[in-house]
Amino acid sequence: MANHKSALKRIRNSETKRLRNRYQFKTTRNAIKKLKDATNKKEAEKLFPEVTSMIDKLAKNNVIHDNKAANLKSQISRHIAAL
């Protein structure tokens, strides 16, 4: 266990951030799944800006790597184009 006040605060902060990151990443993954399951092109195109925004926010906050974000956006845009 940590001995310094600052270390205890750091543990609390990092746990809070970890939970927030997990929640945001899980929400984004669910949104991506919803978009990929969409069979209607119009519906998928409506979801696309929302999902890309979520992915960009994760990349900006270093929850996921920038390249992973680019790959995910590319993947879902190819999926929409194929519909």
Side-chain angles (χ1 to χ4, degrees):
M1 192 63 198
N3 294 320
H4 298 282
K5 264 189 166 179
S6 60
L8 292 169
K9 182 178 178 182
R10 184 62 115 172
I11 289 168
R12 288 195 308 269
N13 283 344
S14 60
E15 180 63 14
T16 305
K17 287 175 186 174
R18 184 185 74 86
L19 292 173
R20 187 184 313 120
N21 289 342
R22 263 182 79 189
Y23 171 77
Q24 289 174 342
F25 191 42
K26 186 66 174 175
T27 307
T28 305
R29 279 200 314 254
N30 287 338
I32 291 169
K33 280 181 196 167
K34 186 177 176 186
L35 192 145
K36 284 184 179 178
D37 289 342
T39 53
N40 185 1
K41 186 168 184 164
K42 202 166 269 191
E43 182 186 329
E45 285 176 339
K46 194 176 118 184
L47 287 171
F48 183 69
E50 183 184 323
V51 173
T52 51
S53 172
M54 292 169 89
I55 291 171
D56 287 335
K57 282 178 190 168
L58 289 179
K60 187 181 91 176
N61 296 329
N62 291 321
V63 177
I64 61 173
H65 196 273
D66 291 340
N67 290 350
K68 181 178 175 74
N71 290 338
L72 285 171
K73 289 194 293 186
S74 170
Q75 199 177 58
I76 60 176
S77 64
R78 275 188 288 137
H79 172 73
I80 290 173
L83 286 177

